[in-house]
Amino acid sequence: MDAHKLKLDFPILQNQPLIYLDTAASSLTPQCVIDTMNEYYTEYPVNVHRGVYQISYKATEKYTQARQTIADFINATFEETVFTRGASSALNLIATSYGLSHVQKDDEIIVSELEHHSHILPWQQVAKKTGAKLIYVPLNKEGRITVENFKRVLTDRTKVVALTYISNVMGYETPLQEIIPLAHQKGAIVSVDAAQAAPHKTIDVKKLNCDFLAFSGHKMFGPTGIGVLYGKQKLLDSIEPIEYGGDMNDNVELFDAVWKDTPYKFETGTPPIAEAIGLAEAVRYLQKLKPEAILAHEQKLKELAVKALLKLDGVTVYNPTSETGIINFNLDDVHPHDAVSFFDEDHIAMRAGHHCAQLIIKWLKVPATLRASFYAYNTEEDVKTFTDAVKKARDFFTSVGF
Amino acid sequence: MHQLENLYRQIIMDHYKNPRHKGLTDDKNYFTHHIKNPSCGDDITIQTRIENQTIKDVRHDGSGCSICCSSASVLASLMIGKDIDHAEKLTLNYLSMIMNRPFDEDLDLDDAMAYQGVKQFPARIKCATIAWKAFENTIKEWSESHE
Ligand SMILES: Cc1ncc(COP(=O)(O)O)c(C=O)c1O
């Protein structure tokens, strides 16, 4: 993979200095995705499933094909692939619909401190409303979820296992391939937050055998405002929608109504049409680059960077062994918000704060952290600029008295 | 040269490293206002005692970056002893200055002038205003109870 050549696909990287190290928040958008969405708005900007005129037919066809492309991407069927506003909405749908109707008092829901707020808060609500217990997998010394520790909390009362595939703060991959069969042996279902996995891992929901899985378009070259909920067909058939209105029903009577089959019963209202078509284009772009090649590339960059950072005094890296392109670190005694302004002046964009994952920040016992995340379009020069800037920043803050 | 060097000048660093009037009180005669910025974790509490239209004391505590924490110390130092109407004017003037709106340069903001450079870092405006907004809320609460 030639990252220098790849940069040319991204309009935001032309004609301005920008070292973009915040892909874990949102990836940059390639021209082909922008063009595909523009094409919708210029050539057939109309609703789907409604009109019988030509351009509406075209819109419906493109939208339908988009769903199939995305279903194929994760080895799911068309019916198992539900469009949502993003990973957050998808994860909320799982907890609200499946969770509230299947979890009872004293049941156990296994979660972890590595979860993004969008995967912990919905289950925290389910626990509060049903009287079920939230059980946290103890993290190991590095902050990882291990199979051993998972076994320790798995019981006959476990009804739901809700875990992240890859942590957005530590970049660790959860050993789901081993955890999922163990959960199934106890009759629990497994909900997977794949928001950080989809951008650089080939996801095969059949092989993984997860029950639900969610991801967002904007972290994998796609647009904002769209995400995907995957659910096993029989589960999606058996649960209720959480939003009601146009498009999701078959027959409406005065005092009752009948829903369409999945995926439509979960998708009321005019869908994000341009976004769905844009996401399908993003999937094609990602597949052309090959997720494994992207992961290998970003990992190489991350290792280069970590090696340089570990040589510096006054810099703490919290996840030196992570297997993805995420570095979570701090300048010692410098609040990340002070630090991030320094990097911003060097046109280095990265994240400071708790990354919507306060539990792991508390686990680390720090007020907040800096996060740099590498992706396909980052180069070794970016790494050098970044690590040089960290050194300069550390020297600067020391010089002014931090 | 980094713009940041202009910003992190002695005054700010001094109040960051040696904060004045820090630490909260249980005294019920103080107004307490707390502001948290959940996206970055800045979290500041300002306590104020007002008697006879005069700011008698200001206390602060919390956690956050250098700009956020130091500005609470600067605020407290500036406000103690001021008449409430004047304190309100100073507060509005400071907030205008930080948000790059017209402000009265003749009004003496003392050490708080050091924060003028924050407007060059739009992402940090929130850091520099949290403590002052909490103080502004205090004045509002006082005014409402003295109408
Ligand atoms: C691991 C993880 N889960 C869930 C989300 C939520 O995604 P979104 O904000 O697109 O709904 C994110 C992104 O912020 C994430 O990193």
Side-chain angles (χ1 to χ4, degrees), chain A residues 14 40 60 73 75 84 109 128-129 141 148 185 188 199 211 231 257 259 262 304 327 361 367 392:
Chain A
Q14 315 310 312
Y40 164 75
T60 306
F73 171 60
N75 195 23
T84 64
I109 303 167
K128 282 189 178 189
K129 287 177 185 162
K141 273 212 300 274
E148 282 319 302
Q185 280 167 21
D211 300 283
W259 317 141
T262 173
L304 263 177
I327 304 180
I361 298 299
K392 270 195 310 181

mmCIF file of all heavy atoms in Angstrom, chain A residues 14 40 60 73 75 84 109 128-129 141 148 185 188 199 211 231 257 259 262 304 327 361 367 392:
data_model
loop_
_atom_site.group_PDB
_atom_site.id
_atom_site.type_symbol
_atom_site.label_atom_id
_atom_site.label_comp_id
_atom_site.label_asym_id
_atom_site.label_seq_id
_atom_site.Cartn_x
_atom_site.Cartn_y
_atom_site.Cartn_z
ATOM 1 N N GLN A 14 -5.029 17.936 0.398
ATOM 2 C CA GLN A 14 -4.369 18.699 -0.659
ATOM 3 C C GLN A 14 -4.250 20.157 -0.218
ATOM 4 O O GLN A 14 -5.125 20.668 0.458
ATOM 5 C CB GLN A 14 -5.152 18.625 -1.969
ATOM 6 C CG GLN A 14 -5.638 17.227 -2.336
ATOM 7 C CD GLN A 14 -4.536 16.173 -2.271
ATOM 8 O OE1 GLN A 14 -3.445 16.387 -2.803
ATOM 9 N NE2 GLN A 14 -4.803 15.071 -1.592
ATOM 10 N N TYR A 40 -25.781 11.349 -6.199
ATOM 11 C CA TYR A 40 -27.157 11.177 -5.720
ATOM 12 C C TYR A 40 -27.868 12.536 -5.698
ATOM 13 O O TYR A 40 -28.959 12.685 -6.238
ATOM 14 C CB TYR A 40 -27.180 10.536 -4.326
ATOM 15 C CG TYR A 40 -28.524 10.679 -3.638
ATOM 16 C CD1 TYR A 40 -29.609 9.897 -4.018
ATOM 17 C CD2 TYR A 40 -28.714 11.643 -2.649
ATOM 18 C CE1 TYR A 40 -30.853 10.053 -3.427
ATOM 19 C CE2 TYR A 40 -29.958 11.811 -2.049
ATOM 20 C CZ TYR A 40 -31.026 11.016 -2.437
ATOM 21 O OH TYR A 40 -32.255 11.188 -1.869
ATOM 22 N N THR A 60 -34.061 4.046 -5.442
ATOM 23 C CA THR A 60 -34.383 2.829 -4.698
ATOM 24 C C THR A 60 -33.401 1.717 -5.037
ATOM 25 O O THR A 60 -32.918 0.989 -4.161
ATOM 26 C CB THR A 60 -35.829 2.380 -5.000
ATOM 27 O OG1 THR A 60 -36.695 3.476 -4.734
ATOM 28 C CG2 THR A 60 -36.231 1.192 -4.139
ATOM 29 N N PHE A 73 -20.105 -7.265 2.772
ATOM 30 C CA PHE A 73 -18.861 -6.826 3.435
ATOM 31 C C PHE A 73 -18.661 -7.543 4.779
ATOM 32 O O PHE A 73 -17.544 -7.858 5.171
ATOM 33 C CB PHE A 73 -18.954 -5.301 3.612
ATOM 34 C CG PHE A 73 -17.884 -4.664 4.444
ATOM 35 C CD1 PHE A 73 -16.543 -4.746 4.085
ATOM 36 C CD2 PHE A 73 -18.218 -3.916 5.578
ATOM 37 C CE1 PHE A 73 -15.558 -4.117 4.844
ATOM 38 C CE2 PHE A 73 -17.252 -3.290 6.338
ATOM 39 C CZ PHE A 73 -15.914 -3.396 5.966
ATOM 40 N N ASN A 75 -20.387 -10.406 5.539
ATOM 41 C CA ASN A 75 -20.912 -11.768 5.335
ATOM 42 C C ASN A 75 -22.255 -11.979 6.043
ATOM 43 O O ASN A 75 -22.487 -13.033 6.642
ATOM 44 C CB ASN A 75 -19.893 -12.829 5.762
ATOM 45 C CG ASN A 75 -20.257 -14.201 5.218
ATOM 46 O OD1 ASN A 75 -20.972 -14.301 4.223
ATOM 47 N ND2 ASN A 75 -19.793 -15.253 5.886
ATOM 48 N N THR A 84 -28.773 2.382 10.515
ATOM 49 C CA THR A 84 -29.083 3.223 11.673
ATOM 50 C C THR A 84 -28.362 4.553 11.479
ATOM 51 O O THR A 84 -27.667 4.742 10.486
ATOM 52 C CB THR A 84 -28.566 2.591 12.981
ATOM 53 O OG1 THR A 84 -27.136 2.526 12.907
ATOM 54 C CG2 THR A 84 -29.128 1.184 13.186
ATOM 55 N N ILE A 109 -25.324 -9.134 33.041
ATOM 56 C CA ILE A 109 -24.909 -8.571 31.751
ATOM 57 C C ILE A 109 -23.411 -8.305 31.864
ATOM 58 O O ILE A 109 -22.981 -7.504 32.696
ATOM 59 C CB ILE A 109 -25.634 -7.240 31.473
ATOM 60 C CG1 ILE A 109 -27.150 -7.438 31.499
ATOM 61 C CG2 ILE A 109 -25.174 -6.626 30.158
ATOM 62 C CD1 ILE A 109 -27.941 -6.137 31.553
ATOM 63 N N LYS A 128 -30.611 -1.033 35.236
ATOM 64 C CA LYS A 128 -31.400 -0.242 36.188
ATOM 65 C C LYS A 128 -32.877 -0.551 36.074
ATOM 66 O O LYS A 128 -33.588 -0.657 37.072
ATOM 67 C CB LYS A 128 -31.211 1.250 35.920
ATOM 68 C CG LYS A 128 -29.908 1.774 36.456
ATOM 69 C CD LYS A 128 -29.893 3.281 36.356
ATOM 70 C CE LYS A 128 -28.596 3.782 36.955
ATOM 71 N NZ LYS A 128 -28.559 5.207 37.097
ATOM 72 N N LYS A 129 -33.354 -0.654 34.835
ATOM 73 C CA LYS A 129 -34.796 -0.827 34.644
ATOM 74 C C LYS A 129 -35.258 -2.238 34.980
ATOM 75 O O LYS A 129 -36.408 -2.436 35.355
ATOM 76 C CB LYS A 129 -35.176 -0.486 33.198
ATOM 77 C CG LYS A 129 -35.132 1.014 32.938
ATOM 78 C CD LYS A 129 -35.444 1.352 31.489
ATOM 79 C CE LYS A 129 -35.279 2.843 31.253
ATOM 80 N NZ LYS A 129 -35.148 3.175 29.838
ATOM 81 N N LYS A 141 -3.326 -6.542 33.592
ATOM 82 C CA LYS A 141 -2.433 -5.424 33.938
ATOM 83 C C LYS A 141 -2.306 -4.381 32.832
ATOM 84 O O LYS A 141 -2.182 -3.199 33.089
ATOM 85 C CB LYS A 141 -1.025 -5.965 34.268
ATOM 86 C CG LYS A 141 -0.852 -6.374 35.707
ATOM 87 C CD LYS A 141 0.584 -6.150 36.209
ATOM 88 C CE LYS A 141 1.639 -6.925 35.454
ATOM 89 N NZ LYS A 141 1.907 -8.286 35.892
ATOM 90 N N GLU A 148 -9.276 -15.774 29.987
ATOM 91 C CA GLU A 148 -9.234 -16.261 31.372
ATOM 92 C C GLU A 148 -10.127 -15.417 32.282
ATOM 93 O O GLU A 148 -10.932 -15.941 33.045
ATOM 94 C CB GLU A 148 -7.787 -16.216 31.905
ATOM 95 C CG GLU A 148 -6.920 -17.362 31.424
ATOM 96 C CD GLU A 148 -7.674 -18.683 31.430
ATOM 97 O OE1 GLU A 148 -8.157 -19.060 32.523
ATOM 98 O OE2 GLU A 148 -7.819 -19.319 30.364
ATOM 99 N N GLN A 185 -22.370 -21.219 25.206
ATOM 100 C CA GLN A 185 -22.553 -22.429 26.030
ATOM 101 C C GLN A 185 -23.440 -22.156 27.233
ATOM 102 O O GLN A 185 -24.116 -23.040 27.742
ATOM 103 C CB GLN A 185 -21.204 -22.948 26.530
ATOM 104 C CG GLN A 185 -20.448 -23.762 25.496
ATOM 105 C CD GLN A 185 -19.006 -23.988 25.915
ATOM 106 O OE1 GLN A 185 -18.673 -23.899 27.096
ATOM 107 N NE2 GLN A 185 -18.157 -24.273 24.946
ATOM 108 N N ALA A 188 -26.057 -17.283 26.660
ATOM 109 C CA ALA A 188 -26.076 -15.815 26.572
ATOM 110 C C ALA A 188 -25.954 -15.374 25.121
ATOM 111 O O ALA A 188 -25.410 -16.104 24.291
ATOM 112 C CB ALA A 188 -24.928 -15.232 27.390
ATOM 113 N N PRO A 199 -13.079 -0.534 10.303
ATOM 114 C CA PRO A 199 -12.164 0.205 9.428
ATOM 115 C C PRO A 199 -10.923 -0.572 8.991
ATOM 116 O O PRO A 199 -10.287 -0.213 8.007
ATOM 117 C CB PRO A 199 -11.733 1.411 10.284
ATOM 118 C CG PRO A 199 -12.786 1.541 11.327
ATOM 119 C CD PRO A 199 -13.291 0.159 11.585
ATOM 120 N N ASP A 211 -24.141 -12.402 17.941
ATOM 121 C CA ASP A 211 -25.590 -12.297 17.777
ATOM 122 C C ASP A 211 -25.988 -10.937 17.226
ATOM 123 O O ASP A 211 -26.887 -10.817 16.409
ATOM 124 C CB ASP A 211 -26.267 -12.571 19.118
ATOM 125 C CG ASP A 211 -25.925 -13.968 19.596
ATOM 126 O OD1 ASP A 211 -26.514 -14.922 19.070
ATOM 127 O OD2 ASP A 211 -25.018 -14.110 20.449
ATOM 128 N N GLY A 231 -27.858 -8.218 12.995
ATOM 129 C CA GLY A 231 -28.426 -9.139 13.975
ATOM 130 C C GLY A 231 -28.727 -10.445 13.280
ATOM 131 O O GLY A 231 -29.059 -10.460 12.086
ATOM 132 N N ALA A 257 -51.409 -2.447 14.207
ATOM 133 C CA ALA A 257 -50.683 -2.352 12.947
ATOM 134 C C ALA A 257 -49.744 -3.543 12.858
ATOM 135 O O ALA A 257 -49.409 -4.161 13.860
ATOM 136 C CB ALA A 257 -49.899 -1.045 12.883
ATOM 137 N N TRP A 259 -45.991 -4.906 11.312
ATOM 138 C CA TRP A 259 -44.707 -4.393 10.802
ATOM 139 C C TRP A 259 -44.277 -5.150 9.556
ATOM 140 O O TRP A 259 -44.614 -6.310 9.354
ATOM 141 C CB TRP A 259 -43.597 -4.520 11.852
ATOM 142 C CG TRP A 259 -43.971 -4.130 13.246
ATOM 143 C CD1 TRP A 259 -43.578 -4.764 14.387
ATOM 144 C CD2 TRP A 259 -44.776 -3.028 13.662
ATOM 145 N NE1 TRP A 259 -44.099 -4.126 15.485
ATOM 146 C CE2 TRP A 259 -44.837 -3.064 15.063
ATOM 147 C CE3 TRP A 259 -45.474 -2.021 12.994
ATOM 148 C CZ2 TRP A 259 -45.555 -2.131 15.815
ATOM 149 C CZ3 TRP A 259 -46.197 -1.091 13.725
ATOM 150 C CH2 TRP A 259 -46.226 -1.144 15.112
ATOM 151 N N THR A 262 -37.858 -7.613 8.800
ATOM 152 C CA THR A 262 -36.558 -6.988 8.951
ATOM 153 C C THR A 262 -35.888 -6.926 7.567
ATOM 154 O O THR A 262 -36.152 -7.816 6.748
ATOM 155 C CB THR A 262 -35.691 -7.792 9.952
ATOM 156 O OG1 THR A 262 -34.406 -7.243 9.950
ATOM 157 C CG2 THR A 262 -35.614 -9.270 9.615
ATOM 158 N N LEU A 304 6.674 2.366 14.983
ATOM 159 C CA LEU A 304 7.726 3.369 14.786
ATOM 160 C C LEU A 304 7.547 4.500 15.799
ATOM 161 O O LEU A 304 8.497 4.946 16.451
ATOM 162 C CB LEU A 304 7.597 3.988 13.393
ATOM 163 C CG LEU A 304 8.449 3.462 12.269
ATOM 164 C CD1 LEU A 304 8.080 4.175 10.974
ATOM 165 C CD2 LEU A 304 9.930 3.680 12.590
ATOM 166 N N ILE A 327 -2.406 5.165 19.630
ATOM 167 C CA ILE A 327 -1.470 5.416 20.734
ATOM 168 C C ILE A 327 -2.170 6.304 21.752
ATOM 169 O O ILE A 327 -2.670 7.382 21.426
ATOM 170 C CB ILE A 327 -0.192 6.136 20.256
ATOM 171 C CG1 ILE A 327 0.478 5.334 19.155
ATOM 172 C CG2 ILE A 327 0.777 6.340 21.423
ATOM 173 C CD1 ILE A 327 1.745 5.985 18.646
ATOM 174 N N ILE A 361 -10.444 5.609 31.255
ATOM 175 C CA ILE A 361 -9.609 6.720 31.707
ATOM 176 C C ILE A 361 -9.508 6.671 33.243
ATOM 177 O O ILE A 361 -8.437 6.884 33.821
ATOM 178 C CB ILE A 361 -10.183 8.067 31.222
ATOM 179 C CG1 ILE A 361 -10.205 8.114 29.688
ATOM 180 C CG2 ILE A 361 -9.397 9.250 31.775
ATOM 181 C CD1 ILE A 361 -8.864 7.996 29.017
ATOM 182 N N PRO A 367 -6.573 12.100 34.587
ATOM 183 C CA PRO A 367 -7.759 12.919 34.305
ATOM 184 C C PRO A 367 -8.199 12.837 32.841
ATOM 185 O O PRO A 367 -9.388 12.978 32.530
ATOM 186 C CB PRO A 367 -7.326 14.346 34.649
ATOM 187 C CG PRO A 367 -5.847 14.319 34.833
ATOM 188 C CD PRO A 367 -5.388 12.896 34.929
ATOM 189 N N LYS A 392 9.300 18.348 21.041
ATOM 190 C CA LYS A 392 9.279 19.818 21.146
ATOM 191 C C LYS A 392 8.279 20.278 22.206
ATOM 192 O O LYS A 392 8.543 21.195 22.982
ATOM 193 C CB LYS A 392 8.881 20.444 19.793
ATOM 194 C CG LYS A 392 10.043 20.737 18.878
ATOM 195 C CD LYS A 392 9.644 21.671 17.732
ATOM 196 C CE LYS A 392 8.396 21.227 17.012
ATOM 197 N NZ LYS A 392 7.963 22.038 15.888
#
